[in-house]
Amino acid sequence: MPERLAEMLLDLWTPLIILWITLPPCVYSAPMNQSPVLMSGSPLELNRLSEEQRILNRSKRGWVWNQMFVLEEFSGPEPILVGRLHTDLDPGSKKIKYILSGDGAGTIFQINDVTGDIHAIKRLDREEKAEYTLTAQAVDWETNKPLEPPSEFIIKVQDINDNAPEFLNGPYHATVPEMSILGTSVTNVTATDADDPVYGNSAKLVYSILEGQPYFSIEPETAIIKTALPNMDREAKEEYLVVIQAKDMGGHSGGLSGTTTLTVTLTDVNDNPPKFAQSLYHFSVPEDVVLGTAIGRVKANDQDIGENAQSSYDIIDGDGTALFEITSDAQAQDGIIRLRKPLDFETKKSYTLKVEAANVHIDPRFSGRGPFKDTATVKIVVEDADEPPVFSSPTYLLEVHENAALNSVIGQVTARDPDITSSPIRFSIDRHTDLERQFNINADDGKITLATPLDRELSVWHNITIIATEIRNHSQISRVPVAIKVLDVNDNAPEFASEYEAFLCENGKPGQVIQTVSAMDKDDPKNGHYFLYSLLPEMVNNPNFTIKKNEDNSLSILAKHNGFNRQKQEVYLLPIIISDSGNPPLSSTSTLTIRVCGCSSDGVVQSCNVEAYVLPIGLSMGALIAILACIILLLVIVVLFVTLRRHKNEPLIIKDDEDVRENIIRYDDEGGGEEDTEAFDIATLQNPDGINGFLPRKDIKPDLQFMPRQGLAPVPNGVDVDEFINVRLHEADNDPTAPPYDSIQIYGYEGRGSVAGSLSSLESTTSDSDQNFDYLSDWGPRFKRLGELYSVGESDKET
């Protein structure tokens, strides 16, 4: 306890001692019963002092206090006194006023302008602001003139231990390999303390573990966490929770502390070998199982995880190493046994295998613990299955001559039932492979016979499929392909290779080769074709042509003389006998057609027809075709020209034959007859389609668009009608939009006093007219009433 008290006193007086040492030579300590005072002498007054006064009179040096302290978080009943400002010029007459400015002046720090006392009026927090820079000045009380230059000083907030350590990055997670040695570093943590790290021990932290012993330890000052136990096993416990404490004041009592958690996970290492769950495995498999099928699985357990638990499987011994294989399943970490070769229950009924599982990744640090592998025995029992028949050969090749007799045996297939209880076999042909049914098979012994004649020239190979079926179980069938080759016999006579037609020039020379021909034979002799050519016996002494055998098995036809004339004979026929070398040989007669043609001097054929002589000299067939094409073109041009001419002669205006508008005159008023000239209105002579109507031309599009003529205002009486009509006629003739016929004129007023009287027929029933108006009834409903009136009049007249 005395040591702790001495340490606290030392922490309290350390800043004062440092301040005392660092003060400049002009610093003087204030009396112990007074507050710190900032004093200074006026530089101007000191300059006025003469050298003698400086020597004879010893003046007191001005105090220079440029730093003050105030304790943070102080909350007394009254403001705390920070210090006092004082100048040597103050005689105590209260004529000097002290002024304070700068950080917090007036809000945080308040000065007594008479005494110069500075008080802190608010609670201060060093972590919020550690120091304040202020400016002090002494001025005249009455004039406010400065008595000396401003002096700047600092008020520092003295720290107290009011902040606990904090782990800003917690909670923490870390990993360490299992089986690590003692003292293996895991991680380190860091706490922060907002207190002043320079002043005292408020920010001096000491770390410790509250929970997590005895597995881990921590260094008190560096906070490095290490393993405290060796060879911790992940398989026993994988995760640990560690509670860490950080305490300030150097860890002494009275300090503040903060805690955090650290989760430590042990990572896996390959420290465990694989181990089979059982030492003996039993599997059974049918003998007809498909190759590659999985027969069974074996598994070696490994307490490790990830790649440390990966194991490879191998068959290291046994009597079935050639028939079985084992592969590793990386996902399930087990071994899969598969079939490599077919099984046969009748040959061997069981197999024994020895399999081994070994770790893929070995850690040499743990090799001393023994081999990281394990072995197990696998017994496989083969089960009997009803197998399909087995042919004596996987494929069959048969040969038959094309002239073989029907129902003759061309070959045989055999098959057996491999089961212990053998079943009889029946044979058949898959007719999908023998659509023409050219072959048959004996269902009991498998002999194949010929059903239809064969022709090698049509098909050399026939591929059929034979089916073998167990009589006892029809579902057990097997198939085998049979290839049948048709052998050739000499049954086709040779003939020309193509349809030959030879051309002979009239001006040809004797012995000239006219044509070279070759022969072909559909048969295929083993030693190749060899043909013999000859003329018919009656044409051996042919006076015109002869033949010559060439070395390449072809034949040349030669002319015996010249002077052939196509006017006398245009075509010659030359029969040729062709014989093969077969046994027995076959022969045929082919006829060669030879045409006599006109040729140029260099032997180029120009014309082979007799009619060519009637054509003009030098006029070929191409020229005739060209002339005919020109004639057809001229005819087409003439037809088009005539069609266009007829089109132009058609009338420009579409006119109806029944158009009677020229003769229609409309009388809206009966007027007074010819003597009534005063009421005649020239403006009534208008277009019948209305004032603004016009009839466009139907054959042309006018160059200028004429606006319809507006209606004319009534003209005064006395206008010359003849002149008016002539003007209108001239306008109509020069108007391209006017129709080519006279317009229908409307006479809206006829005048008064007509001598003829009314033209109406409403009262005509009293007249002596003999006209019959019965036809008005046939004009429709609108004229029905009028017809009745006229009919009544006629009947009355008769009466």
Side-chain angles (χ1 to χ4, degrees):
M1 189 66 182
E3 294 177 357
R4 175 58 181 161
L5 181 60
E7 186 177 7
M8 294 179 65
L9 293 175
L10 181 60
D11 292 340
L12 181 62
W13 285 99
T14 297
L16 296 178
I17 296 172
I18 294 174
L19 178 64
W20 181 270
I21 295 173
T22 57
L23 285 176
C26 59
V27 172
Y28 179 77
S29 176
M32 295 300 294
N33 58 352
Q34 296 181 3
S35 300
V37 178
L38 175 61
M39 300 182 66
S40 65
S42 174
L44 295 177
E45 291 182 357
L46 294 176
N47 291 335
R48 293 193 193 102
L49 296 177
S50 63
E51 187 68 25
E52 291 83 7
Q53 289 175 333
R54 292 184 182 179
I55 296 174
L56 298 177
N57 298 325
R58 181 184 178 186
S59 60
K60 186 181 297 184
R61 299 175 66 183
W63 292 5
V64 180
W65 183 280
N66 61 358
Q67 188 165 303
M68 296 182 182
F69 293 91
V70 60
L71 197 62
E72 72 167 333
E73 303 294 345
F74 181 82
S75 57
E78 295 181 359
I80 182 174
L81 178 63
V82 178
R84 177 180 297 172
L85 296 180
H86 188 70
T87 178
D88 293 342
L89 300 178
D90 186 2
S93 58
K94 298 183 180 179
K95 291 184 178 182
I96 295 177
K97 181 169 62 174
Y98 294 97
I99 299 175
L100 184 66
S101 62
D103 293 343
T107 57
I108 299 176
F109 301 102
Q110 194 176 50
I111 188 171
N112 189 323
D113 54 1
V114 177
T115 62
D117 293 338
I118 300 174
H119 291 83
I121 60 177
K122 286 187 177 181
R123 183 176 181 178
L124 301 179
D125 187 358
R126 189 201 66 84
E127 287 71 38
E128 182 179 348
K129 189 174 179 64
E131 61 181 31
Y132 298 85
T133 301
L134 296 100
T135 301
Q137 190 173 21
V139 299
D140 186 86
W141 186 272
E142 296 178 355
T143 63
N144 284 332
K145 292 184 178 181
L147 300 178
E148 59 180 8
S151 296
E152 186 178 89
F153 66 98
I154 296 174
I155 298 178
K156 284 193 173 184
V157 181
Q158 191 173 7
D159 183 54
I160 64 173
N161 189 18
D162 59 340
N163 290 278
E166 294 182 355
F167 291 92
L168 301 179
N169 298 324
Y172 298 89
H173 296 271
T175 59
V176 63
E178 66 171 332
M179 310 304 292
S180 297
I181 62 175
L182 180 65
T184 301
S185 177
V186 178
T187 186
N188 68 319
V189 296
T190 302
T192 58
D193 196 320
D195 293 325
D196 190 356
V198 178
Y199 176 74
N201 293 328
S202 298
K204 185 178 181 181
L205 304 180
V206 174
Y207 299 89
S208 61
I209 292 180
L210 300 181
E211 295 182 16
Q213 298 92 351
Y215 306 104
F216 302 96
S217 63
I218 187 170
E219 294 186 0
E221 296 181 356
T222 61
I224 297 176
I225 301 171
K226 300 179 180 180
T227 59
L229 290 178
N231 300 329
M232 286 189 291
D233 192 0
R234 185 199 65 83
E235 289 72 32
K237 186 176 181 180
E238 183 177 4
E239 192 173 86
Y240 297 85
L241 182 64
V242 181
V243 180
I244 303 170
Q245 175 184 266
K247 191 174 184 180
D248 58 13
M249 297 301 293
H252 296 291
S253 60
L256 303 177
S257 63
T259 60
T260 188
T261 59
L262 169 65
T263 302
V264 180
T265 303
L266 299 182
T267 58
D268 185 63
V269 298
N270 191 10
D271 58 338
N272 294 282
K275 186 69 175 177
F276 280 106
Q278 56 194 70
S279 60
L280 180 62
Y281 293 86
H282 291 275
F283 300 108
S284 59
V285 56
E287 62 173 332
D288 59 350
V289 68
V290 181
L291 298 182
T293 303
I295 296 174
R297 290 175 176 259
V298 296
K299 183 175 180 62
N301 297 319
D302 195 324
Q303 295 182 1
D304 298 321
I305 59 175
E307 66 176 14
N308 295 322
Q310 293 180 2
S311 299
S312 62
Y313 295 86
D314 293 294
I315 299 175
I316 59 176
D317 196 7
D319 55 0
T321 55
L323 278 74
F324 302 94
E325 65 180 357
I326 187 169
T327 58
S328 301
D329 187 348
Q331 298 296 329
Q333 296 297 325
D334 54 6
I336 306 173
I337 300 175
R338 300 180 184 275
L339 182 65
R340 292 177 57 188
K341 295 182 179 181
L343 299 174
D344 187 5
F345 173 80
E346 291 72 23
T347 302
K348 190 173 178 60
K349 298 179 176 57
S350 65
Y351 297 90
T352 301
L353 305 176
K354 186 176 183 181
V355 296
E356 179 185 73
N359 275 153
V360 177
H361 305 281
I362 304 297
D363 194 335
R365 295 179 300 172
F366 308 103
S367 58
R369 296 192 175 190
F372 282 77
K373 60 179 64 176
D374 193 18
T375 60
T377 302
V378 178
K379 287 190 175 293
I380 301 175
V381 176
V382 181
E383 297 178 350
D384 187 23
D386 190 3
E387 301 174 80
V390 178
F391 284 95
S392 59
S393 176
T395 58
Y396 291 89
L397 175 62
L398 305 180
E399 293 182 349
V400 57
H401 285 88
E402 59 178 329
N403 61 350
L406 296 180
N407 299 321
S408 60
V409 178
I410 61 177
Q412 184 179 10
V413 297
T414 58
R416 65 178 183 86
D417 185 2
D419 297 323
I420 296 178
T421 57
S422 180
S423 171
I425 305 299
R426 291 186 63 84
F427 299 95
S428 61
I429 297 177
D430 185 355
R431 291 304 176 182
H432 293 91
T433 61
D434 184 25
L435 296 177
E436 297 179 358
R437 294 182 175 269
Q438 291 185 288
F439 306 96
N440 290 324
I441 190 171
N442 190 302
D444 298 325
D445 56 12
K447 291 181 179 180
I448 301 173
T449 57
L450 186 62
T452 60
L454 299 176
D455 188 355
R456 189 203 66 85
E457 286 69 40
L458 294 178
S459 179
V460 179
W461 289 95
H462 297 272
N463 298 306
I464 63 175
T465 300
I466 304 299
I467 302 173
T469 306
E470 290 186 9
I471 296 178
R472 190 170 52 198
N473 185 359
H474 291 176
S475 64
Q476 295 297 327
I477 62 175
S478 296
R479 298 172 180 266
V480 66
V482 178
I484 302 174
K485 182 179 181 181
V486 181
L487 302 179
D488 183 53
V489 295
N490 192 22
D491 58 346
N492 291 278
E495 57 187 8
F496 277 158
S498 63
E499 294 289 338
Y500 291 104
E501 185 176 12
F503 298 95
L504 173 64
C505 293
E506 290 179 314
N507 56 354
K509 298 178 181 180
Q512 181 181 1
V513 177
I514 300 173
Q515 180 73 37
T516 299
V517 298
S518 60
M520 60 168 290
D521 195 332
K522 296 180 180 179
D523 296 322
D524 188 16
K526 294 182 179 180
N527 298 325
H529 290 290
Y530 181 79
F531 300 111
L532 297 175
Y533 300 93
S534 62
L535 297 175
L536 291 177
E538 60 270 19
M539 298 190 69
V540 172
N541 297 322
N542 189 313
N544 298 317
F545 307 101
T546 184
I547 59 175
K548 178 184 177 182
K549 175 70 180 295
N550 300 321
E551 294 181 357
D552 60 353
N553 214 17
S554 63
L555 179 68
S556 296
I557 292 88
L558 294 80
K560 283 187 174 183
H561 60 84
N562 57 0
F564 288 92
N565 190 342
R566 52 180 165 166
Q567 294 293 328
K568 295 181 179 180
Q569 186 173 352
E570 180 185 1
V571 178
Y572 293 88
L573 299 178
L574 183 62
I576 300 174
I577 301 174
I578 308 173
S579 302
D580 60 18
S581 57
N583 186 17
L586 297 178
S587 63
S588 66
T589 301
S590 299
T591 301
L592 176 65
T593 302
I594 303 174
R595 293 184 180 275
V596 181
C597 303
C599 303
S600 61
S601 58
D602 54 355
V604 178
V605 176
Q606 291 184 341
S607 176
C608 298
N609 298 324
V610 179
E611 291 76 13
Y613 281 98
V614 301
L615 296 176
I617 298 176
L619 191 60
S620 63
M621 184 62 66
L624 288 176
I625 295 174
I627 293 173
L628 182 60
C630 292
I631 293 173
I632 294 174
L633 181 61
L634 289 174
L635 291 175
V636 171
I637 293 174
V638 171
V639 171
L640 292 176
F641 180 78
V642 172
T643 303
L644 292 175
R645 294 277 298 180
R646 292 185 61 186
H647 180 70
K648 290 182 178 179
N649 292 333
E650 292 180 358
L652 300 179
I653 301 299
I654 300 175
K655 182 177 179 181
D656 192 354
D657 294 335
E658 298 181 358
D659 193 346
V660 294
R661 284 178 287 181
E662 296 181 352
N663 303 320
I664 296 176
I665 299 176
R666 179 179 178 184
Y667 297 91
D668 289 339
D669 189 274
E670 295 177 343
E674 292 129 315
E675 297 179 356
D676 188 1
T677 58
E678 295 180 357
F680 188 82
D681 187 1
I682 296 299
T684 58
L685 300 178
Q686 299 171 353
N687 191 304
D689 289 335
I691 253 180
N692 296 324
F694 65 94
L695 295 176
R697 295 282 293 268
K698 297 183 180 180
D699 58 330
I700 61 172
K701 180 178 181 181
D703 296 331
L704 300 175
Q705 298 294 332
F706 283 80
M707 296 300 294
R709 296 194 304 268
Q710 301 294 332
L712 299 178
V715 298
N717 294 333
V719 175
D720 189 358
V721 176
D722 183 62
E723 182 181 357
F724 174 81
I725 293 175
N726 289 333
V727 172
R728 290 293 181 266
L729 181 61
H730 178 72
E731 292 178 356
D733 292 338
N734 294 325
D735 187 1
T737 62
Y741 45 78
D742 293 341
S743 301
I744 298 175
Q745 302 299 326
I746 299 175
Y747 297 88
Y749 185 74
E750 297 181 35
R752 298 187 301 271
S754 175
V755 177
S758 174
L759 297 179
S760 174
S761 61
L762 295 177
E763 298 178 356
S764 61
T765 55
T766 60
S767 67
D768 296 331
S769 175
D770 296 332
Q771 186 176 358
N772 186 8
F773 295 97
D774 293 337
Y775 64 91
L776 293 176
S777 300
D778 299 330
W779 284 14
R782 297 184 178 181
F783 296 91
K784 183 177 181 181
R785 179 58 180 168
L786 186 62
E788 292 175 357
L789 293 175
Y790 277 69
S791 298
V792 171
E794 291 294 327
S795 62
D796 293 340
K797 179 179 178 181
E798 292 177 359
T799 304

